[in-house]
Amino acid sequence: RIMEHGTELSQTVATFVLHRVMNSKDGLDYMCHTPQRFTAVAKVLTQIVQSKKEMTARLLKLVVKSFTRLADHPVAKKDLHLVVPPELRNNTFEKLITDDQSIK
């Protein structure tokens, strides 16, 4: 719920924690163990992206890293294209990316 409705800072911290858990093989396996868990994680990440008119570079990087980490799991990789939000595929965050030197 924090990731969906919290402040920018609380969303960033919660996404960081999620990403840290996913960085371990066991954590990634746990999150992708059932389709429901994978869908829940992907849905929350998607909601963060879609609910933000303005997003910080830090939060955007964590969300992208989290989706990238999901792609490391063989089962999740097959369905990842179905859940990645279109905002990450188009130019929605182009200005943010070009303005932030740490993203390049």
Side-chain angles (χ1 to χ4, degrees), residues 34-49:
T34 66
Q36 293 81 9
R37 285 185 197 159
F38 166 74
T39 302
V41 170
K43 181 179 175 184
V44 168
L45 292 170
T46 297
Q47 286 175 343
I48 289 173
V49 171

Side-chain angles (χ1 to χ4, degrees), residues 11-74:
Q11 286 180 330
T12 302
V13 171
T15 306
F16 175 78
V17 170
L18 176 73
H19 183 257
R20 292 293 297 203
V21 170
M22 287 173 33
N23 269 342
S24 75
K25 182 182 178 338
D26 290 338
L28 182 62
D29 287 343
Y30 178 82
M31 290 187 189
C32 297
H33 184 71
T34 66
Q36 293 81 9
R37 285 185 197 159
F38 166 74
T39 302
V41 170
K43 181 179 175 184
V44 168
L45 292 170
T46 297
Q47 286 175 343
I48 289 173
V49 171
Q50 292 178 338
S51 69
K52 295 291 179 195
K53 300 278 190 234
E54 295 290 324
M55 183 181 292
T56 63
R58 184 182 331 176
L59 182 55
L60 178 61
K61 285 190 281 188
L62 285 170
V63 169
V64 170
K65 285 180 180 181
S66 296
F67 274 117
T68 302
R69 182 64 178 141
L70 285 172
D72 292 337
H73 192 274

